[in-house]
Amino acid sequence: MSLSALQPIPAGVANLADFEAHAQAAMNAEAWAYLNGGAADEITLRANRSAWDAIQLQPRVLRDLSGGHTRVPLLGSELAHPVLLAPIAYQRLAHADGELASAYAAAAQGAGMVLSAQASVAMEAVAQAFAAEPQSGPLWFQLYWRDDRGFMLELLQRVERAGFTALVLTVDAPVHGARDRERRAGFKLPADVRAVNLGGLKKPLDLQPGQSALFDGLMPRAATWAEVDWLRANSRLPLLLKGVTHADDALEAHKRGACGVIVSNHGGRTLDTVPASAELLPRLREGVGADFCVLVDGGIRRGTDVLKAMALGANAVLLGRPYVHALAAAGAHGVAHALRLLRDELEIAMALSGCKTLAEAGPHLLWSARK
């Protein structure tokens, strides 16, 4: 699979939010509802954005910022900046090049990427895109647990052979949320878009009369801490858990050998009325201490959001829907442009806050009326 011809950036795009209208025009209504919808009343979806807006920066002035930079350490490597692309399924719904375009853009901009298990492009092609760029960030593979250990073992081996450097187990979505917007739109995957890295068929539910399809059928197959232990025993790759919202769960992940967690409410797509990621992050950081790796996603739109996340204790952030908007609007060029805009905004925010490096970012950068 090769990339399409370079597409121009739409006129008037000055920030990540500007891609949204162009993306909506490029996608059909059903796919748009799937990508942008949240669970139930979409309270958490909206809160993810408003929570970052509500946090205020308190800049310091007249500091010597010469030689400043956005570099950060992450799991033994140094990143050019603390932005990774979050795992988002079926990106060929947004653009014919799908995840391959996102991969080339991320690699070119020094960003990391977490490839969804439900990617619509082969994992090997994505890995090759990263391998071709020596300055790329980390490439991780996201997993949903499937209750077929033979299949899971084959998948883990394939992921390692392809060159991915970490596993990310999503733990907050054993079932789909009640996504009303998606259901109203009547979304169904088109025939030419599928999860190409997930072969085989799921086992049919074996239910007795009166049993619940959810509690008696699906939940016995869902991942527990035992499956975390199994993944640790059957892969050499570092393991992170995505979708952790409680400090006790983060501590348990650490105890069982995970190398980090991603604070996430699944972009507001699973359980509605979960707190915003920006509100969850400082509590988890306080709960696990300074040495455990903690990333965050949900509602990131601006460079100031990235700086706030770092000040609240994140080691890095994951960018979600906005990069798929950029993908729909302008393919690989759009995603690369979105990442560059976000990094430029981060540098501006750091400079105007008196923050020379992200190692200096901390709660002192954030305004509190109680001080």
Side-chain angles (χ1 to χ4, degrees):
M1 181 178 178
S2 59
L3 290 178
S4 304
L6 188 69
Q7 295 175 242
I9 303 300
V13 170
N15 59 51
L16 271 61
D18 287 339
F19 279 109
E20 188 166 346
H22 299 283
Q24 187 169 9
M27 297 175 65
N28 65 49
E30 294 80 11
W32 182 255
Y34 170 79
L35 173 64
N36 287 278
D41 298 308
E42 301 187 345
I43 293 167
T44 296
L45 174 65
R46 293 189 296 274
N48 273 347
R49 177 63 239 148
S50 60
W52 293 116
D53 287 339
I55 299 170
Q56 296 174 294
L57 293 166
Q58 186 174 24
R60 299 295 302 274
V61 298
L62 299 176
R63 295 191 165 192
D64 180 7
L65 303 183
S66 58
H69 60 78
T70 61
R71 296 189 297 274
V72 294
L74 187 67
L75 299 185
S77 299
E78 184 177 72
L79 280 62
H81 56 83
V83 179
L84 295 84
L85 299 186
I88 295 181
Y90 306 122
Q91 292 183 27
R92 290 189 62 243
L93 290 171
H95 191 279
D97 293 337
E99 292 84 357
L100 187 63
S102 299
Y104 273 109
Q109 291 296 323
M113 181 175 182
V114 186
L115 183 70
S116 171
Q118 296 175 324
S120 49
V121 171
M123 68 172 77
E124 290 81 5
V126 169
Q128 288 172 8
F130 263 71
E133 176 52 67
Q135 301 303 314
S136 64
L139 179 61
W140 300 346
F141 191 87
Q142 178 261 347
L143 298 167
Y144 286 104
W145 180 257
R146 184 179 288 188
D147 189 26
D148 181 338
R149 299 198 176 198
F151 168 81
M152 291 297 294
L153 190 58
E154 290 178 4
L155 181 63
L156 294 179
Q157 292 168 348
R158 183 180 171 193
V159 167
E160 289 191 30
R161 287 196 304 269
F164 291 79
T165 58
L167 300 172
V168 177
L169 177 66
T170 291
V171 296
D172 63 344
V175 296
H176 288 303
R179 300 201 288 255
D180 295 350
R181 195 194 318 190
E182 180 182 320
R183 292 187 295 189
R184 290 189 191 105
F187 172 76
K188 292 182 180 179
L189 276 177
D192 62 339
V193 177
R194 62 186 182 87
V196 298
N197 297 302
L198 298 180
L201 298 174
K202 293 183 180 179
K203 300 175 185 176
L205 299 182
D206 183 17
L207 297 174
Q208 301 301 314
Q211 286 189 314
S212 162
L214 178 59
F215 288 109
D216 300 309
L218 293 175
M219 287 297 94
R221 302 180 178 190
T224 67
W225 289 110
E227 281 66 47
V228 172
D229 295 339
W230 187 89
L231 288 170
R232 289 277 297 119
N234 285 278
S235 177
R236 295 172 294 180
L237 297 181
L239 175 66
L240 299 93
L241 304 188
K242 181 179 184 293
V244 176
T245 60
H246 199 291
D248 288 350
D249 290 332
L251 286 168
E252 185 69 17
H254 191 14
K255 174 183 174 182
R256 292 175 180 264
C259 67
V261 296
I262 300 173
V263 180
S264 174
N265 51 43
H266 216 97
R269 290 170 62 81
T270 51
L271 179 62
D272 200 17
T273 72
V274 173
S277 297
E279 296 173 334
L280 293 165
L281 171 60
R283 294 199 181 190
L284 263 82
R285 172 51 77 196
E286 181 181 6
V288 299
D291 297 330
F292 193 48
C293 185
V294 177
L295 292 83
V296 66
D297 71 7
I300 300 288
R301 298 291 185 274
R302 288 282 192 178
T304 46
D305 301 335
V306 181
L307 182 57
K308 292 170 187 177
M310 302 300 285
L312 290 171
N315 295 97
V317 307
L318 288 86
L319 182 67
R321 289 179 179 92
Y323 85 82
V324 183
H325 295 159
L327 172 67
H333 192 194
V335 179
H337 190 65
L339 286 166
R340 186 68 249 185
L341 285 172
L342 193 62
R343 183 176 179 181
D344 288 348
E345 287 186 4
L346 173 59
E347 291 184 356
I348 292 168
M350 291 171 64
L352 293 177
S353 297
C355 185
K356 185 173 183 177
T357 71
L358 291 169
E360 298 179 357
H364 62 278
L365 282 181
L366 306 177
W367 167 256
S368 171
R370 295 190 297 272
K371 289 180 180 177

